[in-house]
Amino acid sequence: MQELGRRWRLLAEGAGIAGLLCAHVLTRAYDHVVLVERDLLPDAPVHRPGVPQSRHVHGLLDRGLRDIEHLVPGFTTDLLQHGAGLVDFAADIALRTPAGWLPRVPSCLRSCTASRPLVETAIRRRVLSHARSSCTSATWPTA
């Protein structure tokens, strides 16, 4: 990533997927990015109270997987090493439309199946390993 003009420190709220990726990008412009998260962040990929959708089925389609991998190299490998699946979206997933079942055909459309907690944990480990990123959990800023 290209280094931008440096500033001192940035405080960002929320250590979910979007907050983590945002903080990671912002390390190019700030000397240090501190994420503040109201939930206690677990070390393991487990559901947390502040993410009600975490129990839903999750999958990353090809473009999202490539974009996150571009921002956080090694992300896909981490997911796969911790049990995520990599599937051909058109060949491995049954799709039904009002007109009926679509045929399954080989394609280049990858999809990664993983739980939300696993996706978030893989991103968090990589982002917070950066020297200019840190996180304070189980707290919320008041002003």
PDB file of all heavy atoms in Angstrom, residues 17 42 44-48 51 53-60 65 68 75 78-80 82-86 111-125:
ATOM      1  N   ILE A  17     -15.878  -6.346  10.981  1.00  0.00           N
ATOM      2  CA  ILE A  17     -15.165  -6.512   9.718  1.00  0.00           C
ATOM      3  C   ILE A  17     -14.877  -5.162   9.061  1.00  0.00           C
ATOM      4  O   ILE A  17     -13.738  -4.872   8.683  1.00  0.00           O
ATOM      5  CB  ILE A  17     -15.953  -7.444   8.766  1.00  0.00           C
ATOM      6  CG1 ILE A  17     -15.973  -8.864   9.344  1.00  0.00           C
ATOM      7  CG2 ILE A  17     -15.354  -7.439   7.373  1.00  0.00           C
ATOM      8  CD1 ILE A  17     -16.903  -9.817   8.623  1.00  0.00           C
ATOM      9  N   PRO A  42     -12.939 -11.834  21.788  1.00  0.00           N
ATOM     10  CA  PRO A  42     -12.355 -13.133  22.124  1.00  0.00           C
ATOM     11  C   PRO A  42     -11.141 -13.433  21.256  1.00  0.00           C
ATOM     12  O   PRO A  42     -10.987 -12.882  20.170  1.00  0.00           O
ATOM     13  CB  PRO A  42     -13.495 -14.106  21.809  1.00  0.00           C
ATOM     14  CG  PRO A  42     -14.265 -13.431  20.732  1.00  0.00           C
ATOM     15  CD  PRO A  42     -14.155 -11.948  20.999  1.00  0.00           C
ATOM     16  N   ALA A  44     -10.598 -16.534  20.215  1.00  0.00           N
ATOM     17  CA  ALA A  44     -11.093 -17.577  19.321  1.00  0.00           C
ATOM     18  C   ALA A  44     -12.278 -17.049  18.504  1.00  0.00           C
ATOM     19  O   ALA A  44     -12.923 -16.084  18.901  1.00  0.00           O
ATOM     20  CB  ALA A  44     -11.527 -18.789  20.138  1.00  0.00           C
ATOM     21  N   PRO A  45     -12.587 -17.679  17.382  1.00  0.00           N
ATOM     22  CA  PRO A  45     -13.731 -17.257  16.570  1.00  0.00           C
ATOM     23  C   PRO A  45     -15.058 -17.716  17.183  1.00  0.00           C
ATOM     24  O   PRO A  45     -15.570 -18.789  16.861  1.00  0.00           O
ATOM     25  CB  PRO A  45     -13.474 -17.917  15.214  1.00  0.00           C
ATOM     26  CG  PRO A  45     -12.565 -19.050  15.476  1.00  0.00           C
ATOM     27  CD  PRO A  45     -11.789 -18.709  16.706  1.00  0.00           C
ATOM     28  N   VAL A  46     -15.574 -16.926  18.086  1.00  0.00           N
ATOM     29  CA  VAL A  46     -16.863 -17.227  18.729  1.00  0.00           C
ATOM     30  C   VAL A  46     -17.814 -16.044  18.537  1.00  0.00           C
ATOM     31  O   VAL A  46     -17.385 -14.924  18.291  1.00  0.00           O
ATOM     32  CB  VAL A  46     -16.695 -17.539  20.234  1.00  0.00           C
ATOM     33  CG1 VAL A  46     -15.858 -18.794  20.440  1.00  0.00           C
ATOM     34  CG2 VAL A  46     -16.078 -16.373  20.976  1.00  0.00           C
ATOM     35  N   HIS A  47     -19.104 -16.322  18.653  1.00  0.00           N
ATOM     36  CA  HIS A  47     -20.112 -15.271  18.503  1.00  0.00           C
ATOM     37  C   HIS A  47     -19.980 -14.275  19.649  1.00  0.00           C
ATOM     38  O   HIS A  47     -19.627 -14.635  20.761  1.00  0.00           O
ATOM     39  CB  HIS A  47     -21.507 -15.898  18.513  1.00  0.00           C
ATOM     40  CG  HIS A  47     -21.691 -16.898  17.421  1.00  0.00           C
ATOM     41  ND1 HIS A  47     -21.837 -16.545  16.107  1.00  0.00           N
ATOM     42  CD2 HIS A  47     -21.730 -18.247  17.442  1.00  0.00           C
ATOM     43  CE1 HIS A  47     -21.968 -17.631  15.370  1.00  0.00           C
ATOM     44  NE2 HIS A  47     -21.904 -18.677  16.150  1.00  0.00           N
ATOM     45  N   ARG A  48     -20.280 -13.008  19.350  1.00  0.00           N
ATOM     46  CA  ARG A  48     -20.256 -11.996  20.397  1.00  0.00           C
ATOM     47  C   ARG A  48     -21.553 -11.201  20.364  1.00  0.00           C
ATOM     48  O   ARG A  48     -22.192 -11.083  19.320  1.00  0.00           O
ATOM     49  CB  ARG A  48     -19.022 -11.113  20.313  1.00  0.00           C
ATOM     50  CG  ARG A  48     -18.665 -10.567  19.006  1.00  0.00           C
ATOM     51  CD  ARG A  48     -17.282  -9.897  19.028  1.00  0.00           C
ATOM     52  NE  ARG A  48     -17.083  -9.185  17.782  1.00  0.00           N
ATOM     53  CZ  ARG A  48     -17.345  -7.906  17.607  1.00  0.00           C
ATOM     54  NH1 ARG A  48     -17.776  -7.176  18.612  1.00  0.00           N
ATOM     55  NH2 ARG A  48     -17.164  -7.337  16.438  1.00  0.00           N
ATOM     56  N   VAL A  51     -22.805  -8.420  17.680  1.00  0.00           N
ATOM     57  CA  VAL A  51     -22.921  -8.777  16.265  1.00  0.00           C
ATOM     58  C   VAL A  51     -24.075  -9.778  16.111  1.00  0.00           C
ATOM     59  O   VAL A  51     -23.864 -10.976  16.005  1.00  0.00           O
ATOM     60  CB  VAL A  51     -21.594  -9.386  15.724  1.00  0.00           C
ATOM     61  CG1 VAL A  51     -21.654  -9.586  14.222  1.00  0.00           C
ATOM     62  CG2 VAL A  51     -20.414  -8.520  16.095  1.00  0.00           C
ATOM     63  N   GLN A  53     -25.989 -10.607  13.738  1.00  0.00           N
ATOM     64  CA  GLN A  53     -26.025 -11.390  12.504  1.00  0.00           C
ATOM     65  C   GLN A  53     -24.930 -12.446  12.443  1.00  0.00           C
ATOM     66  O   GLN A  53     -24.831 -13.173  11.461  1.00  0.00           O
ATOM     67  CB  GLN A  53     -25.952 -10.470  11.276  1.00  0.00           C
ATOM     68  CG  GLN A  53     -24.595  -9.860  11.016  1.00  0.00           C
ATOM     69  CD  GLN A  53     -24.295  -8.604  11.813  1.00  0.00           C
ATOM     70  OE1 GLN A  53     -24.902  -8.333  12.837  1.00  0.00           O
ATOM     71  NE2 GLN A  53     -23.321  -7.837  11.356  1.00  0.00           N
ATOM     72  N   SER A  54     -24.118 -12.568  13.474  1.00  0.00           N
ATOM     73  CA  SER A  54     -22.989 -13.495  13.409  1.00  0.00           C
ATOM     74  C   SER A  54     -23.420 -14.959  13.349  1.00  0.00           C
ATOM     75  O   SER A  54     -22.655 -15.804  12.917  1.00  0.00           O
ATOM     76  CB  SER A  54     -22.039 -13.286  14.585  1.00  0.00           C
ATOM     77  OG  SER A  54     -22.598 -13.782  15.774  1.00  0.00           O
ATOM     78  N   ARG A  55     -24.625 -15.262  13.745  1.00  0.00           N
ATOM     79  CA  ARG A  55     -25.091 -16.653  13.705  1.00  0.00           C
ATOM     80  C   ARG A  55     -25.699 -17.024  12.351  1.00  0.00           C
ATOM     81  O   ARG A  55     -26.046 -18.172  12.120  1.00  0.00           O
ATOM     82  CB  ARG A  55     -26.077 -16.909  14.828  1.00  0.00           C
ATOM     83  CG  ARG A  55     -25.422 -16.768  16.191  1.00  0.00           C
ATOM     84  CD  ARG A  55     -26.354 -17.131  17.336  1.00  0.00           C
ATOM     85  NE  ARG A  55     -25.738 -16.808  18.615  1.00  0.00           N
ATOM     86  CZ  ARG A  55     -24.903 -17.593  19.268  1.00  0.00           C
ATOM     87  NH1 ARG A  55     -24.563 -18.760  18.769  1.00  0.00           N
ATOM     88  NH2 ARG A  55     -24.408 -17.226  20.434  1.00  0.00           N
ATOM     89  N   HIS A  56     -25.825 -16.065  11.453  1.00  0.00           N
ATOM     90  CA  HIS A  56     -26.339 -16.344  10.110  1.00  0.00           C
ATOM     91  C   HIS A  56     -25.270 -17.034   9.274  1.00  0.00           C
ATOM     92  O   HIS A  56     -24.080 -16.905   9.535  1.00  0.00           O
ATOM     93  CB  HIS A  56     -26.720 -15.051   9.399  1.00  0.00           C
ATOM     94  CG  HIS A  56     -27.804 -14.276  10.080  1.00  0.00           C
ATOM     95  ND1 HIS A  56     -28.245 -13.080   9.596  1.00  0.00           N
ATOM     96  CD2 HIS A  56     -28.532 -14.510  11.206  1.00  0.00           C
ATOM     97  CE1 HIS A  56     -29.199 -12.609  10.386  1.00  0.00           C
ATOM     98  NE2 HIS A  56     -29.377 -13.452  11.365  1.00  0.00           N
ATOM     99  N   VAL A  57     -25.695 -17.728   8.253  1.00  0.00           N
ATOM    100  CA  VAL A  57     -24.760 -18.343   7.308  1.00  0.00           C
ATOM    101  C   VAL A  57     -24.002 -17.220   6.604  1.00  0.00           C
ATOM    102  O   VAL A  57     -24.590 -16.217   6.210  1.00  0.00           O
ATOM    103  CB  VAL A  57     -25.520 -19.193   6.277  1.00  0.00           C
ATOM    104  CG1 VAL A  57     -24.583 -19.712   5.205  1.00  0.00           C
ATOM    105  CG2 VAL A  57     -26.242 -20.334   6.969  1.00  0.00           C
ATOM    106  N   HIS A  58     -22.688 -17.379   6.473  1.00  0.00           N
ATOM    107  CA  HIS A  58     -21.870 -16.369   5.810  1.00  0.00           C
ATOM    108  C   HIS A  58     -21.022 -16.996   4.710  1.00  0.00           C
ATOM    109  O   HIS A  58     -20.599 -18.148   4.812  1.00  0.00           O
ATOM    110  CB  HIS A  58     -20.939 -15.665   6.811  1.00  0.00           C
ATOM    111  CG  HIS A  58     -21.601 -14.584   7.573  1.00  0.00           C
ATOM    112  ND1 HIS A  58     -22.489 -14.851   8.589  1.00  0.00           N
ATOM    113  CD2 HIS A  58     -21.543 -13.251   7.463  1.00  0.00           C
ATOM    114  CE1 HIS A  58     -22.939 -13.699   9.075  1.00  0.00           C
ATOM    115  NE2 HIS A  58     -22.376 -12.718   8.413  1.00  0.00           N
ATOM    116  N   GLY A  59     -20.797 -16.218   3.707  1.00  0.00           N
ATOM    117  CA  GLY A  59     -19.915 -16.622   2.621  1.00  0.00           C
ATOM    118  C   GLY A  59     -19.366 -15.373   1.960  1.00  0.00           C
ATOM    119  O   GLY A  59     -20.025 -14.336   1.934  1.00  0.00           O
ATOM    120  N   LEU A  60     -18.178 -15.463   1.492  1.00  0.00           N
ATOM    121  CA  LEU A  60     -17.569 -14.358   0.752  1.00  0.00           C
ATOM    122  C   LEU A  60     -17.524 -14.756  -0.714  1.00  0.00           C
ATOM    123  O   LEU A  60     -16.951 -15.784  -1.065  1.00  0.00           O
ATOM    124  CB  LEU A  60     -16.152 -14.090   1.247  1.00  0.00           C
ATOM    125  CG  LEU A  60     -16.030 -13.445   2.612  1.00  0.00           C
ATOM    126  CD1 LEU A  60     -14.583 -13.514   3.097  1.00  0.00           C
ATOM    127  CD2 LEU A  60     -16.507 -12.008   2.556  1.00  0.00           C
ATOM    128  N   LEU A  65     -13.693 -11.697  -1.501  1.00  0.00           N
ATOM    129  CA  LEU A  65     -12.534 -12.474  -1.057  1.00  0.00           C
ATOM    130  C   LEU A  65     -11.241 -11.882  -1.618  1.00  0.00           C
ATOM    131  O   LEU A  65     -10.266 -11.689  -0.891  1.00  0.00           O
ATOM    132  CB  LEU A  65     -12.702 -13.922  -1.506  1.00  0.00           C
ATOM    133  CG  LEU A  65     -11.730 -14.950  -0.960  1.00  0.00           C
ATOM    134  CD1 LEU A  65     -11.826 -15.044   0.552  1.00  0.00           C
ATOM    135  CD2 LEU A  65     -12.010 -16.308  -1.583  1.00  0.00           C
ATOM    136  N   ILE A  68     -10.502  -8.364   0.100  1.00  0.00           N
ATOM    137  CA  ILE A  68      -9.958  -8.488   1.454  1.00  0.00           C
ATOM    138  C   ILE A  68      -8.541  -9.047   1.397  1.00  0.00           C
ATOM    139  O   ILE A  68      -7.647  -8.574   2.104  1.00  0.00           O
ATOM    140  CB  ILE A  68     -10.871  -9.341   2.352  1.00  0.00           C
ATOM    141  CG1 ILE A  68     -12.212  -8.635   2.564  1.00  0.00           C
ATOM    142  CG2 ILE A  68     -10.198  -9.609   3.708  1.00  0.00           C
ATOM    143  CD1 ILE A  68     -13.256  -9.451   3.307  1.00  0.00           C
ATOM    144  N   PHE A  75      -5.044 -13.568   4.285  1.00  0.00           N
ATOM    145  CA  PHE A  75      -6.372 -13.748   4.865  1.00  0.00           C
ATOM    146  C   PHE A  75      -7.022 -15.060   4.411  1.00  0.00           C
ATOM    147  O   PHE A  75      -7.525 -15.833   5.224  1.00  0.00           O
ATOM    148  CB  PHE A  75      -7.252 -12.543   4.492  1.00  0.00           C
ATOM    149  CG  PHE A  75      -8.716 -12.738   4.708  1.00  0.00           C
ATOM    150  CD1 PHE A  75      -9.237 -12.769   5.989  1.00  0.00           C
ATOM    151  CD2 PHE A  75      -9.572 -12.895   3.627  1.00  0.00           C
ATOM    152  CE1 PHE A  75     -10.596 -12.948   6.191  1.00  0.00           C
ATOM    153  CE2 PHE A  75     -10.921 -13.069   3.828  1.00  0.00           C
ATOM    154  CZ  PHE A  75     -11.438 -13.101   5.110  1.00  0.00           C
ATOM    155  N   ASP A  78      -5.430 -18.106   5.962  1.00  0.00           N
ATOM    156  CA  ASP A  78      -5.851 -18.233   7.361  1.00  0.00           C
ATOM    157  C   ASP A  78      -7.229 -18.867   7.463  1.00  0.00           C
ATOM    158  O   ASP A  78      -7.455 -19.767   8.284  1.00  0.00           O
ATOM    159  CB  ASP A  78      -5.890 -16.863   8.052  1.00  0.00           C
ATOM    160  CG  ASP A  78      -4.515 -16.326   8.403  1.00  0.00           C
ATOM    161  OD1 ASP A  78      -3.523 -17.059   8.230  1.00  0.00           O
ATOM    162  OD2 ASP A  78      -4.450 -15.168   8.851  1.00  0.00           O
ATOM    163  N   LEU A  79      -8.171 -18.400   6.647  1.00  0.00           N
ATOM    164  CA  LEU A  79      -9.521 -18.968   6.673  1.00  0.00           C
ATOM    165  C   LEU A  79      -9.500 -20.461   6.370  1.00  0.00           C
ATOM    166  O   LEU A  79     -10.106 -21.264   7.096  1.00  0.00           O
ATOM    167  CB  LEU A  79     -10.425 -18.264   5.663  1.00  0.00           C
ATOM    168  CG  LEU A  79     -10.935 -16.878   5.999  1.00  0.00           C
ATOM    169  CD1 LEU A  79     -11.847 -16.384   4.872  1.00  0.00           C
ATOM    170  CD2 LEU A  79     -11.687 -16.851   7.312  1.00  0.00           C
ATOM    171  N   LEU A  80      -8.813 -20.822   5.301  1.00  0.00           N
ATOM    172  CA  LEU A  80      -8.786 -22.225   4.885  1.00  0.00           C
ATOM    173  C   LEU A  80      -8.097 -23.109   5.919  1.00  0.00           C
ATOM    174  O   LEU A  80      -8.534 -24.232   6.173  1.00  0.00           O
ATOM    175  CB  LEU A  80      -8.119 -22.361   3.518  1.00  0.00           C
ATOM    176  CG  LEU A  80      -8.861 -21.664   2.363  1.00  0.00           C
ATOM    177  CD1 LEU A  80      -8.043 -21.737   1.081  1.00  0.00           C
ATOM    178  CD2 LEU A  80     -10.240 -22.251   2.163  1.00  0.00           C
ATOM    179  N   HIS A  82      -8.212 -22.732   9.017  1.00  0.00           N
ATOM    180  CA  HIS A  82      -9.064 -22.838  10.201  1.00  0.00           C
ATOM    181  C   HIS A  82     -10.451 -23.379   9.886  1.00  0.00           C
ATOM    182  O   HIS A  82     -11.391 -23.177  10.647  1.00  0.00           O
ATOM    183  CB  HIS A  82      -9.147 -21.482  10.906  1.00  0.00           C
ATOM    184  CG  HIS A  82      -7.869 -21.116  11.582  1.00  0.00           C
ATOM    185  ND1 HIS A  82      -6.900 -20.357  10.965  1.00  0.00           N
ATOM    186  CD2 HIS A  82      -7.388 -21.434  12.797  1.00  0.00           C
ATOM    187  CE1 HIS A  82      -5.878 -20.221  11.778  1.00  0.00           C
ATOM    188  NE2 HIS A  82      -6.141 -20.865  12.898  1.00  0.00           N
ATOM    189  N   GLY A  83     -10.587 -24.071   8.739  1.00  0.00           N
ATOM    190  CA  GLY A  83     -11.812 -24.808   8.465  1.00  0.00           C
ATOM    191  C   GLY A  83     -12.766 -24.226   7.445  1.00  0.00           C
ATOM    192  O   GLY A  83     -13.814 -24.820   7.181  1.00  0.00           O
ATOM    193  N   ALA A  84     -12.482 -23.085   6.881  1.00  0.00           N
ATOM    194  CA  ALA A  84     -13.356 -22.520   5.859  1.00  0.00           C
ATOM    195  C   ALA A  84     -13.281 -23.378   4.597  1.00  0.00           C
ATOM    196  O   ALA A  84     -12.301 -24.084   4.372  1.00  0.00           O
ATOM    197  CB  ALA A  84     -12.955 -21.080   5.542  1.00  0.00           C
ATOM    198  N   GLY A  85     -14.309 -23.294   3.792  1.00  0.00           N
ATOM    199  CA  GLY A  85     -14.329 -24.042   2.544  1.00  0.00           C
ATOM    200  C   GLY A  85     -14.243 -23.107   1.356  1.00  0.00           C
ATOM    201  O   GLY A  85     -14.748 -21.988   1.398  1.00  0.00           O
ATOM    202  N   LEU A  86     -13.602 -23.554   0.303  1.00  0.00           N
ATOM    203  CA  LEU A  86     -13.519 -22.787  -0.940  1.00  0.00           C
ATOM    204  C   LEU A  86     -14.291 -23.583  -1.983  1.00  0.00           C
ATOM    205  O   LEU A  86     -13.980 -24.745  -2.228  1.00  0.00           O
ATOM    206  CB  LEU A  86     -12.058 -22.601  -1.345  1.00  0.00           C
ATOM    207  CG  LEU A  86     -11.747 -21.542  -2.379  1.00  0.00           C
ATOM    208  CD1 LEU A  86     -12.242 -20.169  -1.936  1.00  0.00           C
ATOM    209  CD2 LEU A  86     -10.257 -21.483  -2.638  1.00  0.00           C
ATOM    210  N   SER A 111     -16.169 -18.966  -4.048  1.00  0.00           N
ATOM    211  CA  SER A 111     -16.867 -18.477  -2.877  1.00  0.00           C
ATOM    212  C   SER A 111     -16.239 -19.161  -1.671  1.00  0.00           C
ATOM    213  O   SER A 111     -15.883 -20.340  -1.738  1.00  0.00           O
ATOM    214  CB  SER A 111     -18.362 -18.805  -2.963  1.00  0.00           C
ATOM    215  OG  SER A 111     -19.034 -18.332  -1.831  1.00  0.00           O
ATOM    216  N   CYS A 112     -16.081 -18.413  -0.619  1.00  0.00           N
ATOM    217  CA  CYS A 112     -15.494 -18.964   0.601  1.00  0.00           C
ATOM    218  C   CYS A 112     -16.589 -19.052   1.651  1.00  0.00           C
ATOM    219  O   CYS A 112     -17.226 -18.057   1.975  1.00  0.00           O
ATOM    220  CB  CYS A 112     -14.360 -18.067   1.079  1.00  0.00           C
ATOM    221  SG  CYS A 112     -13.504 -18.723   2.516  1.00  0.00           S
ATOM    222  N   THR A 113     -16.823 -20.244   2.149  1.00  0.00           N
ATOM    223  CA  THR A 113     -17.825 -20.440   3.182  1.00  0.00           C
ATOM    224  C   THR A 113     -17.126 -20.477   4.536  1.00  0.00           C
ATOM    225  O   THR A 113     -16.196 -21.246   4.746  1.00  0.00           O
ATOM    226  CB  THR A 113     -18.606 -21.747   2.956  1.00  0.00           C
ATOM    227  OG1 THR A 113     -17.684 -22.845   2.942  1.00  0.00           O
ATOM    228  CG2 THR A 113     -19.332 -21.723   1.616  1.00  0.00           C
ATOM    229  N   ALA A 114     -17.569 -19.592   5.416  1.00  0.00           N
ATOM    230  CA  ALA A 114     -16.968 -19.509   6.750  1.00  0.00           C
ATOM    231  C   ALA A 114     -17.939 -18.807   7.672  1.00  0.00           C
ATOM    232  O   ALA A 114     -18.783 -18.030   7.229  1.00  0.00           O
ATOM    233  CB  ALA A 114     -15.656 -18.723   6.692  1.00  0.00           C
ATOM    234  N   SER A 115     -17.817 -19.063   8.947  1.00  0.00           N
ATOM    235  CA  SER A 115     -18.667 -18.357   9.904  1.00  0.00           C
ATOM    236  C   SER A 115     -18.222 -16.896  10.005  1.00  0.00           C
ATOM    237  O   SER A 115     -17.065 -16.567   9.755  1.00  0.00           O
ATOM    238  CB  SER A 115     -18.587 -19.025  11.285  1.00  0.00           C
ATOM    239  OG  SER A 115     -17.303 -18.820  11.851  1.00  0.00           O
ATOM    240  N   ARG A 116     -19.132 -16.031  10.379  1.00  0.00           N
ATOM    241  CA  ARG A 116     -18.794 -14.616  10.588  1.00  0.00           C
ATOM    242  C   ARG A 116     -17.685 -14.477  11.626  1.00  0.00           C
ATOM    243  O   ARG A 116     -16.729 -13.717  11.419  1.00  0.00           O
ATOM    244  CB  ARG A 116     -20.064 -13.859  10.977  1.00  0.00           C
ATOM    245  CG  ARG A 116     -19.870 -12.486  11.605  1.00  0.00           C
ATOM    246  CD  ARG A 116     -19.324 -11.472  10.589  1.00  0.00           C
ATOM    247  NE  ARG A 116     -19.003 -10.222  11.241  1.00  0.00           N
ATOM    248  CZ  ARG A 116     -19.674  -9.099  11.084  1.00  0.00           C
ATOM    249  NH1 ARG A 116     -20.710  -9.062  10.289  1.00  0.00           N
ATOM    250  NH2 ARG A 116     -19.301  -8.001  11.692  1.00  0.00           N
ATOM    251  N   PRO A 117     -17.776 -15.194  12.769  1.00  0.00           N
ATOM    252  CA  PRO A 117     -16.683 -15.073  13.747  1.00  0.00           C
ATOM    253  C   PRO A 117     -15.317 -15.482  13.190  1.00  0.00           C
ATOM    254  O   PRO A 117     -14.305 -14.875  13.529  1.00  0.00           O
ATOM    255  CB  PRO A 117     -17.113 -15.990  14.889  1.00  0.00           C
ATOM    256  CG  PRO A 117     -18.608 -16.014  14.807  1.00  0.00           C
ATOM    257  CD  PRO A 117     -18.893 -15.982  13.328  1.00  0.00           C
ATOM    258  N   LEU A 118     -15.283 -16.495  12.314  1.00  0.00           N
ATOM    259  CA  LEU A 118     -14.000 -16.906  11.739  1.00  0.00           C
ATOM    260  C   LEU A 118     -13.454 -15.832  10.801  1.00  0.00           C
ATOM    261  O   LEU A 118     -12.268 -15.500  10.854  1.00  0.00           O
ATOM    262  CB  LEU A 118     -14.146 -18.235  10.989  1.00  0.00           C
ATOM    263  CG  LEU A 118     -12.873 -18.761  10.326  1.00  0.00           C
ATOM    264  CD1 LEU A 118     -11.747 -18.942  11.340  1.00  0.00           C
ATOM    265  CD2 LEU A 118     -13.158 -20.059   9.595  1.00  0.00           C
ATOM    266  N   VAL A 119     -14.314 -15.254   9.965  1.00  0.00           N
ATOM    267  CA  VAL A 119     -13.886 -14.194   9.052  1.00  0.00           C
ATOM    268  C   VAL A 119     -13.340 -13.014   9.851  1.00  0.00           C
ATOM    269  O   VAL A 119     -12.254 -12.500   9.581  1.00  0.00           O
ATOM    270  CB  VAL A 119     -15.049 -13.745   8.135  1.00  0.00           C
ATOM    271  CG1 VAL A 119     -14.675 -12.504   7.348  1.00  0.00           C
ATOM    272  CG2 VAL A 119     -15.461 -14.878   7.202  1.00  0.00           C
ATOM    273  N   GLU A 120     -14.095 -12.589  10.857  1.00  0.00           N
ATOM    274  CA  GLU A 120     -13.694 -11.434  11.664  1.00  0.00           C
ATOM    275  C   GLU A 120     -12.383 -11.706  12.420  1.00  0.00           C
ATOM    276  O   GLU A 120     -11.500 -10.855  12.476  1.00  0.00           O
ATOM    277  CB  GLU A 120     -14.806 -11.103  12.654  1.00  0.00           C
ATOM    278  CG  GLU A 120     -14.603  -9.816  13.402  1.00  0.00           C
ATOM    279  CD  GLU A 120     -15.786  -9.500  14.287  1.00  0.00           C
ATOM    280  OE1 GLU A 120     -16.857  -9.153  13.754  1.00  0.00           O
ATOM    281  OE2 GLU A 120     -15.626  -9.606  15.521  1.00  0.00           O
ATOM    282  N   THR A 121     -12.259 -12.890  12.986  1.00  0.00           N
ATOM    283  CA  THR A 121     -11.047 -13.234  13.740  1.00  0.00           C
ATOM    284  C   THR A 121      -9.820 -13.264  12.828  1.00  0.00           C
ATOM    285  O   THR A 121      -8.754 -12.768  13.202  1.00  0.00           O
ATOM    286  CB  THR A 121     -11.218 -14.586  14.456  1.00  0.00           C
ATOM    287  OG1 THR A 121     -12.329 -14.487  15.361  1.00  0.00           O
ATOM    288  CG2 THR A 121      -9.977 -14.964  15.244  1.00  0.00           C
ATOM    289  N   ALA A 122      -9.970 -13.819  11.629  1.00  0.00           N
ATOM    290  CA  ALA A 122      -8.834 -13.872  10.692  1.00  0.00           C
ATOM    291  C   ALA A 122      -8.390 -12.465  10.301  1.00  0.00           C
ATOM    292  O   ALA A 122      -7.193 -12.173  10.253  1.00  0.00           O
ATOM    293  CB  ALA A 122      -9.220 -14.680   9.452  1.00  0.00           C
ATOM    294  N   ILE A 123      -9.346 -11.586  10.043  1.00  0.00           N
ATOM    295  CA  ILE A 123      -8.998 -10.202   9.705  1.00  0.00           C
ATOM    296  C   ILE A 123      -8.371  -9.514  10.910  1.00  0.00           C
ATOM    297  O   ILE A 123      -7.335  -8.849  10.795  1.00  0.00           O
ATOM    298  CB  ILE A 123     -10.239  -9.420   9.221  1.00  0.00           C
ATOM    299  CG1 ILE A 123     -10.739  -9.991   7.903  1.00  0.00           C
ATOM    300  CG2 ILE A 123      -9.909  -7.932   9.073  1.00  0.00           C
ATOM    301  CD1 ILE A 123     -12.086  -9.439   7.454  1.00  0.00           C
ATOM    302  N   ARG A 124      -8.969  -9.676  12.089  1.00  0.00           N
ATOM    303  CA  ARG A 124      -8.478  -9.003  13.297  1.00  0.00           C
ATOM    304  C   ARG A 124      -7.043  -9.405  13.621  1.00  0.00           C
ATOM    305  O   ARG A 124      -6.204  -8.561  13.935  1.00  0.00           O
ATOM    306  CB  ARG A 124      -9.401  -9.299  14.487  1.00  0.00           C
ATOM    307  CG  ARG A 124      -8.996  -8.529  15.732  1.00  0.00           C
ATOM    308  CD  ARG A 124     -10.027  -8.610  16.851  1.00  0.00           C
ATOM    309  NE  ARG A 124     -10.329  -9.955  17.262  1.00  0.00           N
ATOM    310  CZ  ARG A 124     -11.534 -10.529  17.159  1.00  0.00           C
ATOM    311  NH1 ARG A 124     -12.546  -9.881  16.629  1.00  0.00           N
ATOM    312  NH2 ARG A 124     -11.721 -11.760  17.570  1.00  0.00           N
ATOM    313  N   ARG A 125      -6.735 -10.686  13.504  1.00  0.00           N
ATOM    314  CA  ARG A 125      -5.363 -11.137  13.799  1.00  0.00           C
ATOM    315  C   ARG A 125      -4.350 -10.475  12.872  1.00  0.00           C
ATOM    316  O   ARG A 125      -3.278 -10.058  13.301  1.00  0.00           O
ATOM    317  CB  ARG A 125      -5.278 -12.659  13.684  1.00  0.00           C
ATOM    318  CG  ARG A 125      -5.917 -13.375  14.839  1.00  0.00           C
ATOM    319  CD  ARG A 125      -5.818 -14.865  14.684  1.00  0.00           C
ATOM    320  NE  ARG A 125      -6.461 -15.530  15.812  1.00  0.00           N
ATOM    321  CZ  ARG A 125      -6.987 -16.738  15.759  1.00  0.00           C
ATOM    322  NH1 ARG A 125      -6.932 -17.436  14.642  1.00  0.00           N
ATOM    323  NH2 ARG A 125      -7.558 -17.263  16.817  1.00  0.00           N
TER     324      ARG A 125
END
